[in-house]
Amino acid sequence: MAKFFGNLRNVVIAGFVLAIGIAAIYVGCLHGSLDSTFWAFVTRWLHVISGVMWIGLLYYFNFVQIPTMPKVPAELKGGVSGYIAPAALFWFRYGALATIILGLGLASQSAAFSMPDALTLGLTGGPNIAATLIGIGMYLGLIMGFNVWFVIWPNQQKALNIAGKYPSLSADEKAAAAKTAMIFSRINTMLSVPMLFCMVAASHI
């Protein structure tokens, strides 16, 4: 038991196997259909999983790592900045990428609105509150994704000298990069609240 749960890969694979098993029950016993509605649901499910990874790590950085680092003894900070933070940033940025790709795929499959409706905030094809809410959420998510890949990640690479790419930066340059990454991470934390509001509201209001 301990050996199995000690291996994260096995645990994740087992989780997906269990989900596939539930889907098989849905099809075989509950007479569900593997139609376009089902596959749109699968896209939504993967979108949510990716979003949990992305926003979960965003909140980890902002609610746990950043506030706690000043309290960490100097001799221990290297363990966080050298090992934990780079690993978290990997899952953080690819969680963001997967969330955005799956979200765009989900929006393109929607029966409630078309992609052009969402991109124009539901203002061109007649009033459509779902398209307006999803459109706002999409734009907020795209801004957040841009911040991750083109502001936060490059500056974190400089601040932490990830993969030894910036060995010659001064302490002041690293501090400036860390500050920029923190500010945009806080911007994303702020935007995540209305973004999640729009995503949930589109299906429930």
Side-chain angles (χ1 to χ4, degrees):
M1 182 75 71
K3 183 177 180 180
F4 172 80
F5 286 107
N7 187 313
L8 177 61
R9 183 186 64 181
N10 289 346
V11 170
V12 173
I13 290 172
F16 278 94
V17 169
L18 288 171
I20 292 169
I22 294 170
I25 293 171
Y26 164 77
V27 173
C29 301
L30 303 178
H31 308 293
S33 175
L34 299 180
D35 55 10
S36 59
T37 301
F38 175 82
W39 292 113
F41 158 75
V42 170
T43 305
R44 183 185 301 275
W45 170 58
L46 294 173
H47 174 61
V48 170
I49 289 176
S50 300
V52 168
M53 175 69 76
W54 176 18
I55 303 303
L57 284 168
L58 173 68
Y59 288 174
Y60 158 75
F61 285 127
N62 283 278
F63 287 93
V64 180
Q65 183 173 305
I66 293 173
T68 305
M69 279 299 285
K71 306 171 189 175
V72 176
E75 65 272 16
L76 300 179
K77 290 183 187 291
V80 177
S81 61
Y83 296 93
I84 295 174
L89 285 165
F90 173 86
W91 292 106
F92 174 65
R93 66 184 192 275
Y94 282 102
L97 181 62
T99 302
I100 290 171
I101 291 172
L102 289 163
L104 292 172
L106 182 61
S108 69
Q109 300 176 61
S110 175
F113 53 84
S114 66
M115 182 66 84
D117 286 339
L119 293 174
T120 57
L121 305 182
L123 301 177
T124 57
N128 186 331
I129 187 63
T132 301
L133 288 167
I134 285 293
I136 294 171
M138 284 173 55
Y139 281 118
L140 290 173
L142 289 170
I143 291 168
M144 291 170 63
F146 179 90
N147 288 345
V148 167
W149 278 92
F150 298 104
V151 183
I152 297 171
W153 171 236
N155 279 284
Q156 286 286 24
Q157 285 181 293
K158 293 177 182 178
L160 302 177
N161 190 27
I162 294 176
K165 292 183 67 175
Y166 298 96
S168 61
L169 289 182
S170 67
D172 287 343
E173 289 172 319
K174 289 182 179 181
K179 184 176 181 179
T180 299
M182 183 274 291
I183 289 171
F184 278 83
S185 185
R186 290 288 165 82
I187 289 171
N188 274 11
T189 300
M190 177 182 69
L191 295 181
S192 73
V193 178
M195 183 272 290
L196 291 170
F197 174 88
C198 289
M199 294 301 182
V200 175
S203 300
H204 293 88
I205 292 182

